[in-house]
């Protein structure tokens, strides 16, 4: 039996969590591939997640442009639901065991503190009431929120995670104050409104492991890893947990979470909005990230190094008339597609070549796997 002293002892709680629920978290970092490996005891299977990094500015721009097109209320509803789907999928992949009420406070704090280590500063202040199933998170300069002043997607993420942990639906909301630099999320059973994710749609592909964790990785001259970029100080890890690439914030996520967002825009018939927003933000990023590169070849090669380091696979390209064909070897594969990398690449190509490219086709060859994207102008 666990004593009251044990419950109130942070070191005990941390040790219990690390030895039973989260005993070993290993990051496997290879060119084009980033894998989070979580091994567990007592018969539970090892959890493996394919991780990619995305640019904060692209998602910020998407939300701001959606505010303009759909209005604030509809945008917040959409982004809350997307966030809740992401939180639920995150927990499905984590495969966390059933948790006793005694250990629940430790588990809640542990999970959200880990998120806080990646720029989710709202998770730095965790106040959980086990009896009431209520949670308050609070922190300054949280990713995305700091630029949009909207925490709907963060509230959804919190709701999805907490509902999965507590095995009951718990909604969340953000507190809005345009003048404040503090993001605050409140979750409890009393909050009205109810959205329950369809867990079947959030499950990973049956062959997720086979597609995303290759035994051999083909390399090219632009094959670099995330670790390589950190070593040569192209990527910096700041004290507050944020990661920056040439002073631009990049955010880690499981592959399906990002593409789930893209799929939601396709579902509601807003692909044009998605496309215009991501491409537009990427064109601006290209101008800033590649400003020191002298010619087209240097710019294109450095961009290929960037996407390789961010875990998008090994990029190869060739020209066919006015078309550019990109093959991503060992790409991140999920059931929702490969829209985000394709649109970001579209924006960079527009600026690098001073053209207006269009995505002609995106295909996946499952056997290898390889994502092939054809751009034409």
């Amino acid at each position: 039996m666990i004593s009251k002293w044990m419950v109130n002892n942070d070191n005990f709680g941390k040790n219990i969590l690390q030895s039973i629920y989260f005993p070993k978290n290993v990051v496997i970092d290879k060119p084009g591939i980033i894998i989070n490996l979580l091994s567990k005891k007592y018969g539970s299977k090892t959890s493996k997640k394919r991780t990619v990094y995305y640019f904060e500015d692209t998602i910020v721009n998407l939300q701001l442009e959606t505010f303009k097109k759909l209005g604030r209320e509809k945008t917040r509803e959409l982004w809350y639901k997307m966030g809740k789907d992401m939180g639920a999928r995150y927990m499905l992949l984590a495969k966390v065991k059933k948790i006793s009420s005694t250990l629940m406070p430790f588990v809640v704090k542990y999970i959200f503190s880990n998120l806080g280590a990646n720029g989710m500063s709202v998770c730095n202040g965790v106040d959980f009431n086990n009896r009431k199933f209520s949670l308050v998170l609070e922190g300054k300069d949280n990713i995305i929120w700091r630029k949009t002043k909207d925490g709907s997607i963060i509230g959804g993420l919190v709701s999805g995670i907490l509902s999965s942990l507590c095995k009951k639906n718990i909604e969340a909301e953000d507190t809005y104050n345009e003048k404040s630099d503090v993001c605050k999320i409140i979750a409890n059973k009393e909050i009205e409104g109810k959205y329950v994710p369809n867990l079947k749609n959030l499950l990973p592909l049956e062959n997720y492991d086979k597609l995303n964790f290759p035994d051999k990785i083909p390399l090219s001259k632009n094959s670099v890893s995330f670790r390589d970029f950190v070593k040569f100080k192209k990527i910096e890890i700041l004290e507050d947990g944020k990661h920056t690439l040439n002073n631009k914030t990049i955010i880690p996520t499981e592959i399906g979470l990002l593409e789930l967002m893209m799929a939601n825009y396709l579902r509601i018939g807003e692909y044009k909005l998605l496309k215009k927003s991501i491409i537009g933000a990427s064109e601006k990023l290209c101008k800033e990230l590649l400003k020191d590169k002298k010619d087209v070849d240097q710019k294109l090669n450095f961009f290929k190094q960037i996407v390789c380091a961010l875990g998008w696979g090994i990029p190869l390209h060739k020209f066919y008339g006015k078309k550019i064909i990109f093959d991503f070897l060992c790409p991140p594969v999920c059931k929702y597609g490969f829209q985000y990398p394709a649109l970001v690449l579209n924006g960079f190509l527009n600026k690098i070549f001073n053209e207006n490219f269009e995505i002609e086709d995106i295909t996946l060859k499952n056997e290898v796997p390889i994502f092939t994207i054809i751009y034409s102008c």
Side-chain angles (χ1 to χ4, degrees), residues 62 78 82 85-86 201-202 256-271 274 334-340 343:
L62 177 60
L78 172 64
M82 290 194 304
D85 282 347
M86 291 174 181
N201 291 340
L202 301 177
L257 304 191
L258 187 61
E259 290 299 333
L260 186 58
M261 181 183 291
M262 306 296 109
N264 268 278
Y265 273 78
L266 271 66
R267 177 182 58 80
I268 64 172
E270 291 293 348
Y271 177 70
L274 174 73
C334 69
K335 65 170 69 174
Y336 311 114
F338 200 63
Q339 284 292 329
Y340 180 80
L343 291 171

Side-chain angles (χ1 to χ4, degrees), residues 228-241:
D228 292 331
F229 262 37
V230 173
K231 179 180 178 181
F232 293 107
K233 298 183 179 180
K234 293 176 181 177
I235 287 177
E236 292 185 274
I237 302 174
L238 308 182
E239 289 185 5
D240 63 358

Side-chain angles (χ1 to χ4, degrees), residues 158-225:
V158 171
S159 173
I161 292 174
L162 195 60
S163 297
S164 298
L165 283 173
C166 298
K167 306 302 180 186
K168 57 183 65 184
N169 189 63
I170 300 173
E171 302 293 351
E173 61 186 13
D174 63 302
T175 59
Y176 174 73
N177 185 340
E178 189 176 351
K179 296 181 180 179
S180 175
D181 61 349
V182 175
C183 177
K184 186 175 182 179
I185 304 295
I186 300 171
N188 58 56
K189 295 185 294 182
E190 281 69 46
I191 295 175
E192 294 183 357
K194 186 174 182 180
Y195 170 65
V196 180
N198 184 334
L199 297 183
K200 184 177 180 181
N201 291 340
L202 301 177
L203 287 168
L205 294 165
E206 290 185 4
N207 55 347
Y208 180 95
D209 286 10
K210 181 180 179 181
L211 293 172
N212 286 292
F213 311 130
D215 295 325
K216 296 181 181 180
I217 302 175
L219 302 178
S220 70
K221 67 178 181 179
N222 290 305
S223 298
V224 295
S225 68

Side-chain angles (χ1 to χ4, degrees), residues 65-295:
E65 291 300 316
T66 308
F67 279 145
K68 295 177 184 177
K69 176 77 182 294
L70 302 184
R72 189 171 187 85
E73 185 177 345
K74 288 185 178 180
T75 300
R76 282 177 53 78
E77 181 181 354
L78 172 64
W79 280 58
Y80 180 83
K81 289 180 178 180
M82 290 194 304
K84 192 162 185 177
D85 282 347
M86 291 174 181
R89 179 179 167 93
Y90 178 86
M91 295 305 294
L92 285 171
L93 286 162
K95 302 176 183 176
V96 176
K97 301 175 183 181
K98 186 176 180 180
I99 302 164
S100 70
S101 59
T102 306
L103 285 177
M104 183 67 75
F106 290 117
V107 177
V108 170
K109 186 172 183 179
Y110 189 93
I111 288 178
F112 285 106
S113 294
N114 277 327
L115 291 175
N118 291 310
M120 287 279 288
S121 57
V122 71
C123 298
N124 292 337
V126 181
D127 182 9
F128 178 67
N129 186 311
N130 195 23
R131 185 173 58 85
K132 296 182 178 179
F133 292 103
S134 67
L135 173 68
V136 178
L137 301 175
E138 194 169 8
K140 293 184 178 181
D141 201 36
N142 195 85
I143 51 174
I144 301 176
W145 177 90
R146 61 189 179 147
K147 296 186 176 183
T148 67
K149 295 297 183 180
D150 181 80
S152 53
I153 194 167
I154 305 168
L157 181 71
V158 171
S159 173
I161 292 174
L162 195 60
S163 297
S164 298
L165 283 173
C166 298
K167 306 302 180 186
K168 57 183 65 184
N169 189 63
I170 300 173
E171 302 293 351
E173 61 186 13
D174 63 302
T175 59
Y176 174 73
N177 185 340
E178 189 176 351
K179 296 181 180 179
S180 175
D181 61 349
V182 175
C183 177
K184 186 175 182 179
I185 304 295
I186 300 171
N188 58 56
K189 295 185 294 182
E190 281 69 46
I191 295 175
E192 294 183 357
K194 186 174 182 180
Y195 170 65
V196 180
N198 184 334
L199 297 183
K200 184 177 180 181
N201 291 340
L202 301 177
L203 287 168
L205 294 165
E206 290 185 4
N207 55 347
Y208 180 95
D209 286 10
K210 181 180 179 181
L211 293 172
N212 286 292
F213 311 130
D215 295 325
K216 296 181 181 180
I217 302 175
L219 302 178
S220 70
K221 67 178 181 179
N222 290 305
S223 298
V224 295
S225 68
F226 185 88
R227 193 185 308 272
D228 292 331
F229 262 37
V230 173
K231 179 180 178 181
F232 293 107
K233 298 183 179 180
K234 293 176 181 177
I235 287 177
E236 292 185 274
I237 302 174
L238 308 182
E239 289 185 5
D240 63 358
K242 293 184 183 67
H243 297 62
T244 62
L245 170 64
N246 289 2
N247 296 318
K248 289 296 178 182
T249 299
I250 53 175
I251 304 171
T253 183
E254 187 272 329
I255 56 172
L257 304 191
L258 187 61
E259 290 299 333
L260 186 58
M261 181 183 291
M262 306 296 109
N264 268 278
Y265 273 78
L266 271 66
R267 177 182 58 80
I268 64 172
E270 291 293 348
Y271 177 70
K272 288 184 179 179
L273 171 61
L274 174 73
K275 176 183 172 183
K276 181 181 179 181
S277 172
I278 299 294
I279 290 177
S282 300
E283 289 175 346
K284 292 179 181 178
L285 281 168
C286 179
K287 186 177 180 180
E288 296 179 40
L289 291 174
L290 307 184
K291 61 185 177 182
D292 295 332
K293 305 304 173 185
K294 296 179 181 179
D295 55 36

Side-chain angles (χ1 to χ4, degrees), residues 48-60:
K48 294 166 72 175
K49 292 187 290 185
R50 179 76 181 266
T51 298
V52 296
Y53 278 78
Y54 64 91
F55 294 101
E56 179 189 34
D57 285 354
T58 57
I59 304 305
V60 166

